[in-house]
Amino acid sequence: FNVFDEAYYLGSDDNPYMVLVKAKRLDMVHCDINNNCKFICAKAFNGCNKMIVINIPDSVRGLGYRAFGLCMDVEEITFGKGLKGIGIAAFGCPKLRNIKLPDGLVYVGLWAFLNCSNVVSINIPATVTKIGQNVIDSLVLSSITVEEANPVYGMTGDCLIEKSTQMLMLAGQSGVIPDGVVKIGQGVFSDRKIKFIKIPDSVKTIR
């Protein structure tokens, strides 16, 4: 392994810090990720529950499965401009409140923000063309925004809809599913603090 700050890396002679494999220790408060890192591996920071801030540099292109799982004290995540994909269950940060995904991001995996139970807002850029089911496991999600230029996803009321299938992907706090929605995606209302849900006649499938 190659070492930089609080993490172990693998790479080449040209770039010894290409892949961040794992954290050196679970009780660290901060890790400065090398600016030449391209990928953060599965479970690299899983269980690092004393970190408060995650800063992902512009060089990083992808995040693996549970890369930041069980990071219980993380309150803020800054995503680099080069990020293209977020893996399955990449984040588990129950103190996280706001998610602003970066321009250029393409893929957000299944359960990407698993156990991020206090997220109140998410912003989705126009470049995101694939969002997995049950992407945010939040009890209090109330603000969802997606850039109008996004060709795949759009907003109707406070709901995120996949345009081609008319599937409900994320819902706000109103509990009102828009007319025209055909499918309700997996986990949309799971454990949500919503007292009322209105399902229109157009809905044919609930996953």
Side-chain angles (χ1 to χ4, degrees):
F1 290 115
N2 303 305
V3 177
F4 182 86
D5 196 49
E6 293 285 355
Y8 296 108
Y9 295 79
L10 290 175
S12 63
D13 290 339
D14 292 335
N15 181 7
Y17 306 110
M18 186 177 297
V19 178
L20 194 159
V21 179
K22 62 179 180 178
K24 288 172 65 177
R25 53 196 179 92
L26 297 180
D27 61 348
M28 65 181 177
V29 176
H30 173 77
C31 181
D32 185 12
I33 298 171
N34 190 279
N35 286 328
N36 291 310
C37 178
K38 301 296 184 184
F39 186 78
I40 299 176
C41 283
K43 298 186 178 182
F45 292 96
N46 191 66
C48 292
N49 56 18
K50 293 188 177 180
M51 289 197 302
I52 297 174
V53 176
I54 297 171
N55 291 312
I56 299 171
D58 293 344
S59 62
V60 173
R61 298 292 181 262
L63 307 175
Y65 168 73
R66 296 186 71 92
F68 294 94
L70 298 176
C71 291
M72 309 303 286
D73 280 351
V74 167
E75 298 175 358
E76 179 183 343
I77 301 170
T78 301
F79 295 98
K81 297 176 182 178
L83 190 63
K84 300 299 180 185
I86 297 175
I88 296 172
F91 294 96
C93 310
K95 291 187 178 180
L96 184 66
R97 299 284 289 172
N98 302 291
I99 299 169
K100 182 174 175 55
L101 299 175
D103 290 335
L105 183 68
V106 176
Y107 171 79
V108 184
L110 180 74
W111 302 317
F113 295 93
L114 180 69
N115 296 328
C116 295
S117 55
N118 288 296
V119 168
V120 296
S121 71
I122 182 171
N123 177 268
I124 301 166
T127 54
V128 171
T129 55
K130 179 61 179 177
I131 297 175
Q133 296 284 301
N134 203 13
V135 67
I136 303 177
D137 185 19
S138 173
L139 307 179
V140 292
L141 183 64
S142 59
S143 176
I144 306 163
T145 56
V146 58
E147 292 183 7
E148 290 186 8
N150 191 300
V152 178
Y153 301 100
M155 294 297 299
T156 303
D158 63 351
C159 295
L160 177 69
I161 309 295
E162 186 178 56
K163 296 176 183 179
S164 64
T165 61
Q166 286 298 298
M167 180 165 65
L168 177 64
M169 301 295 295
L170 289 173
Q173 289 294 97
S174 72
V176 177
I177 299 172
D179 289 334
V181 168
V182 176
K183 301 177 183 178
I184 299 176
Q186 178 182 336
V188 170
F189 294 105
S190 178
D191 295 325
R192 295 290 300 277
K193 293 182 178 179
I194 296 176
K195 295 181 179 179
F196 170 84
I197 298 175
K198 181 180 179 181
I199 301 175
D201 292 339
S202 58
V203 171
K204 305 301 181 186
T205 304
I206 300 176
R207 292 191 171 183

